Amino acid sequence: DTGVSQDPRHKITKRGQNVTFRCDPISEHNRLYWYRQTLGQGPEFLTYFQNEAQLEKSRLLSDRFSAERPKGSFSTLEIQRTEQGDSAMYLCASSLDRAPGELFFGEGSRLTVL
Amino acid sequence: GEDVEQSLFLSVREGDSSVINCTYTDSSSTYLYWYKQEPGAGLQLLTYIFSNMDMKQDQRLTVLLNKKDKHLSLRIADTQTGDSAIYFCAERTGGQNFVFGPGTRLSVLP
């Protein structure tokens, strides 16, 4: 079963360092989403791709965050100059572009910024 | 703006029914979803309902939608200890964004 996979599962870094997360969606899914989840909260939308095009970005996505999906398959989320407030679980999800279009989530990449 | 609210905690006894409630704000939502998150695991879709439906039943799960009041509920019949998890309500807005509630932590007592 090839569900959504994320790598690494856990990243510990020092403040000011750059980190990159990778997401491999379900192969036939052309939509890919990034969410952030902090303790006790629901997932918060960061950005979304349709194939390789980044179609929507949240106001939460500061200029230190960049996401790519170069060939419309896997995606990367990079955070530059990490801050302690970036500590969170970063979730990737994919979906088909037809109704009901439900999201299939990976297990997430947990970022801890010291 | 878009907002989804849920009560944060619910505790029930094994074998009882659980009812988890959710309110949302975007009247243009086309679909509403319930996701389950177990410790250390990703979110898993439980069920969804199209906005022109009032009710959907799927085995032990019953979803009720009151579109006028923007209220969604999830009923779990014969709740088991394996149902202990966090349950998230989510709406799909006019765009492609999904807005999630804060989650309701369900504890099932033996």
Side-chain angles (χ1 to χ4, degrees):
Chain A
D1 177 17
T2 53
V4 178
S5 62
Q6 293 188 244
D7 184 69
R9 294 290 311 279
H10 196 176
K11 178 74 177 178
I12 301 172
T13 191
K14 291 183 179 177
R15 191 177 52 181
Q17 298 294 306
N18 299 344
V19 296
T20 299
F21 300 114
R22 177 181 169 122
C23 172
D24 287 273
I26 294 171
S27 58
E28 63 267 28
H29 286 184
N30 52 358
R31 288 186 179 160
L32 187 146
Y33 297 74
W34 285 100
Y35 282 80
R36 181 172 69 186
Q37 185 179 24
T38 52
L39 200 61
Q41 301 294 320
E44 295 175 297
F45 172 75
L46 293 178
T47 190
Y48 137 72
F49 291 85
Q50 171 101 3
N51 301 312
E52 66 273 12
Q54 188 174 18
L55 296 187
E56 192 173 342
K57 289 197 288 187
S58 163
R59 288 187 299 272
L60 291 175
L61 212 66
S62 78
D63 56 7
R64 295 185 298 105
F65 287 69
S66 62
E68 294 183 343
R69 193 182 183 197
K71 296 180 182 176
S73 57
F74 74 92
S75 175
T76 57
L77 176 70
E78 182 184 16
I79 309 173
Q80 295 183 324
R81 306 181 304 280
T82 51
E83 300 173 357
Q84 286 185 321
D86 297 331
S87 295
M89 180 75 85
Y90 289 86
L91 302 174
C92 178
S94 67
S95 76
L96 291 166
D97 64 352
R98 63 170 189 262
E102 70 269 30
L103 300 179
F104 292 80
F105 281 88
E107 293 183 332
S109 292
R110 181 172 295 284
L111 173 64
T112 303
V113 182
L114 302 176
Chain B
E2 304 142 354
D3 197 17
V4 176
E5 295 184 351
Q6 302 176 238
S7 52
L8 298 183
F9 300 98
L10 177 65
S11 185
V12 299
R13 292 232 172 254
E14 195 173 11
D16 288 350
S17 292
S18 308
V19 180
I20 301 171
N21 294 301
C22 167
T23 56
Y24 60 97
T25 55
D26 191 339
S27 56
S28 68
S29 292
T30 51
Y31 287 91
L32 295 127
Y33 306 81
W34 284 103
Y35 281 83
K36 177 182 180 182
Q37 187 176 35
E38 297 182 31
L43 278 79
Q44 215 178 356
L45 179 72
L46 274 181
T47 187
Y48 63 90
I49 188 166
F50 186 45
S51 58
N52 70 352
M53 295 172 65
D54 297 326
M55 185 180 88
K56 180 178 180 182
Q57 188 147 5
D58 184 0
Q59 299 182 335
R60 292 191 298 123
L61 305 179
T62 303
V63 178
L64 295 178
L65 175 59
N66 181 327
K67 199 170 179 184
K68 174 175 166 288
D69 294 338
K70 299 192 187 76
H71 182 267
L72 183 74
S73 68
L74 173 70
R75 178 177 180 267
I76 306 172
D78 186 25
T79 313
Q80 303 297 307
T81 54
D83 295 323
S84 292
I86 302 176
Y87 291 80
F88 293 95
C89 168
E91 62 174 342
R92 183 175 179 181
T93 63
Q96 299 308 324
N97 188 7
F98 290 70
V99 179
F100 287 80
T104 299
R105 183 179 295 275
L106 174 64
S107 298
V108 182
L109 307 173

